[in-house]
Amino acid sequence: MVRAVPGWLRIAGYVFVVLTALILLAPLIVVVGVSLSESQFIAFPPNGLSLRWYQEVLSSNAYLNAGWISIQIALMVTLLATLIGGAAAIAIHRRQLPFSDLLATVFLSPLVLPTIIYAIGMLMFWSSVFGPVSPLVLALSHTVIALPYVVRTTLAVLEESDPYLEEAARTMGANRLQRLWFVVVPQCIPGLAAGAFFAFNISFDEAVLSLFLRGPTLTTLPVQIYGQLEFSPDPSVAAVSTIMIALTIVLIFVIDRMLGLTRFASA
Amino acid sequence: MNDRTENLLLALPGILLLGLAFFLPIAQMLMLSISGPDGPTLAHFARFLSDPYYLNILWRTVRLSLLITVICALIGFPLAYIMTKVGPTARLWLVVIVILPLMTSVVVRTFGWMVLLSRSGMIPEILRDMGLVGRSFALMQTEAAIVIGMVQVLLPFMTLSILGVLTRIDGRLEEAARTMGCSFLQTIRTVVLPLALPGIVAGSLLCFTLSASSFVTPNLLGGTRIQVLAASIYKSVTATPDWPFAAAQAVILFVGILLVLVPYIKLTGTRHG
């Protein structure tokens, strides 16, 4: 038998993986480190340990408002994208519309277009037609970029589903709504759930659309952080960022429990 | 109600949303890019393409995006390959290590690099202590900083698209190559790499598109002196404000990306029949 992998290459592999993991995680570790610092200045490794910057964040209206707006918009996007994208995926999957292939391309097209191009279009269109940007407009724009993910995850689940279940329900006398609600939708749930997580995460972290469509009262958390970084960051930015990282970790944990992370990653 | 009406009703909210909040805004932007005080004009494009300052920005964007894409592929392929070969627990951890940064806001990750790369930051300190660079060495506001930051931002995309293809490769192909006398590296080169090519190409296109159009990381790490196209667009929208010129730059960015994407879509389209 041949040796599976030469020894030196195996060692090189270990070193490579450790270094890559370090590069991938370095910025996150640094942010967490800075947030625990005692001093006024951003420094890593931190000088002394304290939670004072978290206190600062929790008593800062700017951060709390931004956080609240971000959560509201992300929830709105999750709901809209899951409903609209799920319904569209079901229609695309059935292939009964004369233009279903085109429809699939149309629904996935926001993936191809760089967000910055879309953001400009959105800013120019809405402010010239409807005036100042409202939270609803920002939520709609986030929904547009989250939609392809929901469509994709739901379609992937539907591809593996049994097409005869709906037929069976029909022969047994279920009407359209019953078939949809009791047969098709339950089969979509893993895809819808994965899509919903994507949608929440995309909206909550999104910075480009939020920057272009921001307003005096419409500042999301990433935009608030970006603004701080451009001017005078103090460790409170790191504390907010750490809270966002913590939220991501919770999200990943929930996804792993509910759907299995390895499967989610290949979606 | 028949089947067609039902399906149309299901797809309708999405069609309306995309029509009103996606295609119409983009059409509006295209119109704006050729609008002048007296009728349609290509003046905004001419202004961009005839000014060495903007051509320099365009060239920098292409150059850095290519470099970032190549580095991502060089790291992403071995990483994805190793992920398919390790046990389930190790693989789960590696997936977490790849996904956690991916799901963290770009703003947060860039902040981390700002701390690491700043003048008194860890990386320049280490390089100075090792005597590799002079006292006045700085990384922030350089192209190197943009590349480091962007590679970290985009590596997960590359790794996951290669991983998706690698997991579908029949493991017995590699075993067959080995029993027929290939060394490990020969197997990688003649069996795994060609089969993984669609994933590498797809990941590269994604990386190139995303890095050519990103501005948060380049703006924060490169500063105002080292501008990329997307940062210049953002400036034309907010600082100057010159919307038609911003729209023209966006169109140039989009056309550039299409020039890269279309051959690929054609290629893969014919391969699937």
Side-chain angles (χ1 to χ4, degrees), chain A residues 3-4 9 16 23-24 27 84 87 94 96 112-114 116 118 120 124 127-128 176 201 205 214 226 229, chain B residues 1 3 6-7 10 14 21 26 28 32 75 103 105 111 152 178 184 213 219 230 233-234 243 254 261:
Chain A
R3 281 286 306 277
L9 210 58
F16 169 79
I23 293 175
L24 281 170
I84 297 175
R94 284 173 172 171
Q96 283 160 349
V112 186
L113 191 82
I116 186 168
Y118 172 50
I120 295 180
M124 292 170 178
S127 51
S128 68
R176 273 171 204 288
N201 186 248
D205 284 352
R214 74 179 146 183
Y226 182 87
L229 292 185
Chain B
M1 186 159 80
D3 284 348
E6 186 191 342
N7 287 320
L10 283 172
I26 291 165
Q28 158 101 356
L32 201 63
I75 303 177
M103 291 179 66
S105 183
F111 173 43
Q152 194 265 350
R178 295 302 297 274
F184 173 74
S213 60
N219 230 17
I233 296 175
Y234 182 63
W243 284 12
F254 190 45
L261 279 180

Side-chain angles (χ1 to χ4, degrees), chain B residues 87-118:
Chain B
T89 321
R91 184 190 300 192
L92 185 67
W93 276 107
L94 286 176
V95 169
V96 170
I97 289 171
V98 170
I99 290 211
L100 177 60
L102 180 67
M103 291 179 66
T104 307
S105 183
V106 170
V107 180
V108 172
R109 284 188 274 168
T110 306
F111 173 43
W113 285 116
M114 285 170 78
V115 177
L116 271 172
L117 301 175
S118 70

Side-chain angles (χ1 to χ4, degrees), chain A residues 173-189:
Chain A
N175 67 27
R176 273 171 204 288
L177 260 179
Q178 287 172 327
R179 293 203 298 272
L180 204 59
W181 188 247
F182 292 112
V183 181
V184 181
V185 171
Q187 295 186 78
C188 293
I189 282 180

Side-chain angles (χ1 to χ4, degrees), chain B:
Chain B
M1 186 159 80
N2 61 20
D3 284 348
R4 205 155 136 187
T5 329
E6 186 191 342
N7 287 320
L8 205 57
L9 280 177
L10 283 172
L12 201 61
I15 296 173
L16 281 179
L17 175 70
L18 287 180
L20 284 176
F22 186 66
F23 290 107
L24 215 56
I26 291 165
Q28 158 101 356
M29 189 202 69
L30 290 176
M31 295 299 290
L32 201 63
S33 74
I34 53 163
S35 74
D38 10 75
T41 169
L42 288 175
H44 311 300
F45 292 94
R47 180 178 154 205
F48 185 93
L49 296 170
S50 63
D51 189 336
Y53 173 74
Y54 289 111
L55 287 178
N56 193 24
I57 287 178
L58 184 64
W59 169 232
R60 178 183 295 126
T61 308
V62 174
R63 192 163 39 89
L64 291 184
S65 303
L66 280 176
L67 184 63
I68 290 159
T69 306
V70 169
I71 296 176
C72 280
L74 288 177
I75 303 177
F77 175 75
L79 184 62
Y81 182 77
I82 291 172
M83 282 167 87
T84 61
K85 295 296 166 196
V86 294
T89 321
R91 184 190 300 192
L92 185 67
W93 276 107
L94 286 176
V95 169
V96 170
I97 289 171
V98 170
I99 290 211
L100 177 60
L102 180 67
M103 291 179 66
T104 307
S105 183
V106 170
V107 180
V108 172
R109 284 188 274 168
T110 306
F111 173 43
W113 285 116
M114 285 170 78
V115 177
L116 271 172
L117 301 175
S118 70
R119 187 165 278 277
S120 55
M122 217 172 177
I123 293 176
E125 284 282 288
I126 291 174
L127 291 176
R128 273 191 288 257
D129 287 348
M130 286 164 73
L132 291 172
V133 293
R135 284 282 116 200
S136 60
F137 176 77
L139 263 173
M140 274 300 274
Q141 323 237 324
T142 65
E143 292 189 353
I146 299 181
V147 173
I148 294 173
M150 287 303 294
V151 164
Q152 194 265 350
V153 168
L154 296 179
L155 184 58
F157 289 99
M158 180 68 89
T159 310
L160 290 179
S161 37
I162 298 177
L163 184 66
V165 175
L166 281 182
T167 45
R168 284 196 293 272
I169 294 178
D170 189 342
R172 286 171 300 185
L173 288 173
E174 273 178 76
E175 289 166 21
R178 295 302 297 274
T179 39
M180 309 267 240
C182 272
S183 72
F184 173 74
L185 287 177
Q186 277 173 327
T187 313
I188 295 279
R189 195 163 53 82
T190 55
V191 178
V192 182
L193 211 49
L195 288 172
L197 206 57
I200 299 175
V201 172
S204 302
L205 288 171
L206 191 61
C207 278
F208 185 84
T209 308
L210 289 174
S211 77
S213 60
S214 69
F215 81 97
V216 170
T217 308
N219 230 17
L220 290 176
L221 294 180
T224 41
R225 268 188 320 115
I226 304 180
Q227 280 203 352
V228 293
L229 188 49
S232 163
I233 296 175
Y234 182 63
K235 207 178 91 186
S236 300
V237 169
T238 53
T240 327
D242 185 349
W243 284 12
F245 188 51
Q249 291 179 78
V251 171
I252 290 171
L253 174 63
F254 190 45
V255 170
I257 285 167
L258 278 184
L259 286 178
V260 179
L261 279 180
V262 167
Y264 168 74
I265 294 168
K266 280 239 170 77
L267 218 73
T268 49
T270 48
R271 200 176 293 158
H272 293 302

